[in-house]
Amino acid sequence: QAGGGTTRVVGLQNCLGNLDRNVIHACHAGALVHYLEGWSHHETGAVDPTALDMVWSKARKHGFNIPASTTSAIARHQHCLRRQEEATGRQGRRYEDALDAAQHAV
């Protein structure tokens, strides 16, 4: 608003829901990384696993990281998957194996 005043927007909802302070959705972080890097392409549709390391590197360059609560949840989930595989005698295909297979298929 002219003159240094503020404008109040009525009916605007908080899209961050109940996320912790300084935590945003990955899609918002991705949009910010695209802006900061000057990228004009978008990331809708299928995920290109070969681009993940480069995108993550750029995100880290700009100060993004994964919250400790999320990394702890991932570690617990991976631990449960390993225990389930051991109990059933069945080995599931891990992300790293799938990424390696995708890179060699090209």
Side-chain angles (χ1 to χ4, degrees):
Q1 189 173 18
T6 60
T7 301
R8 183 173 177 87
V9 179
V10 178
L12 183 65
Q13 300 295 317
N14 179 353
C15 66
L16 299 180
N18 60 354
L19 294 177
D20 292 339
R21 184 172 173 80
N22 296 323
V23 175
I24 61 173
H25 293 285
C27 57
H28 296 157
L32 290 168
V33 171
H34 274 247
Y35 172 77
L36 293 167
E37 287 296 313
W39 295 340
S40 60
H41 66 283
H42 59 79
E43 296 177 344
T44 58
V47 173
D48 177 7
T50 62
L52 293 176
D53 288 336
M54 186 269 304
V55 173
W56 179 239
S57 172
K58 297 297 183 180
R60 297 282 299 166
K61 170 183 143 184
H62 294 292
F64 290 92
N65 61 36
I66 298 174
S69 59
T70 300
T71 55
S72 295
I74 292 169
R76 284 192 307 274
H77 178 71
Q78 289 174 335
H79 176 74
C80 290
L81 286 176
R82 280 193 294 278
R83 289 185 62 203
Q84 183 179 16
E85 289 170 353
E86 291 168 1
T88 61
R90 191 177 76 221
Q91 284 275 321
R93 196 139 194 228
R94 301 211 188 285
Y95 170 77
E96 293 84 7
D97 296 335
L99 180 59
D100 186 50
Q103 288 174 340
H104 286 84
V106 175

